[in-house]
Amino acid sequence: MPNTVSFNNTKYQLPVLRTTQDGKEISYLPWSKRMTTIFCTAGVYDSTIVSCAIPTATADRAIWDVVNYQALQLIKLAVKNSDLPYVHSSDVAAVAWDNLQDAYNDSAVQNCTVLIESLVCIKKTQKEK
């Protein structure tokens, strides 16, 4: 049964990251794509997953804390117990996300995909300026 969580009156059906019996990744890339879509829809992607920068101003920090908590909970709810060690010790969603990526990122295809996404984000950011 899939995990379901609600944020801002929207219900999300979370995909669960799966591994094989021998611990090898079989679905990290599609899982991460679906999770990125959920992060964007929930409004937590840019301020927590993309940026590790923690605001110093008290008001901004309070807002960031809530958004970071939401993103971190989405990640924790979408992994199996065997993957919790990668995310459990982190208080910052971006660090938890990076830990999972590092744990599963052993293929050249995933490396290329991440690089292409980074280039698209850079290009998009340049157009916005």
Side-chain angles (χ1 to χ4, degrees), residues 48-113:
T48 58
I49 303 300
V50 173
S51 172
C52 264
I54 300 171
T56 54
T58 305
D60 292 339
R61 175 61 190 259
I63 294 168
W64 183 89
D65 282 343
V66 170
V67 173
N68 177 66
Y69 177 79
Q70 290 175 340
L72 197 53
Q73 294 313 306
L74 285 170
I75 293 169
K76 288 179 179 180
L77 289 169
V79 298
K80 289 195 172 272
N81 289 343
S82 60
D83 291 316
L84 279 175
Y86 300 121
V87 299
H88 191 64
S89 62
S90 178
D91 292 332
V92 178
V95 173
W97 185 251
D98 290 345
N99 289 346
L100 277 173
Q101 184 177 17
D102 290 345
Y104 283 90
N105 194 11
D106 61 357
S107 74
V109 173
Q110 290 178 7
N111 287 333
C112 289
T113 302

Side-chain angles (χ1 to χ4, degrees), residues 115-128:
L115 289 173
I116 290 169
E117 286 178 349
S118 297
L119 290 172
V120 169
C121 287
I122 291 169
K123 189 76 168 171
K124 183 179 175 186
T125 303
Q126 289 174 344
K127 284 183 178 181
E128 291 173 355

Side-chain angles (χ1 to χ4, degrees), residues 18-24 26:
R18 289 172 172 64
T19 53
T20 59
Q21 292 280 343
D22 59 1
K24 291 189 177 181
I26 58 169

Side-chain angles (χ1 to χ4, degrees), residues 8-20:
N8 302 325
N9 296 322
T10 303
K11 189 178 276 190
Y12 302 99
Q13 187 173 344
L14 297 178
V16 177
L17 180 60
R18 289 172 172 64
T19 53
T20 59

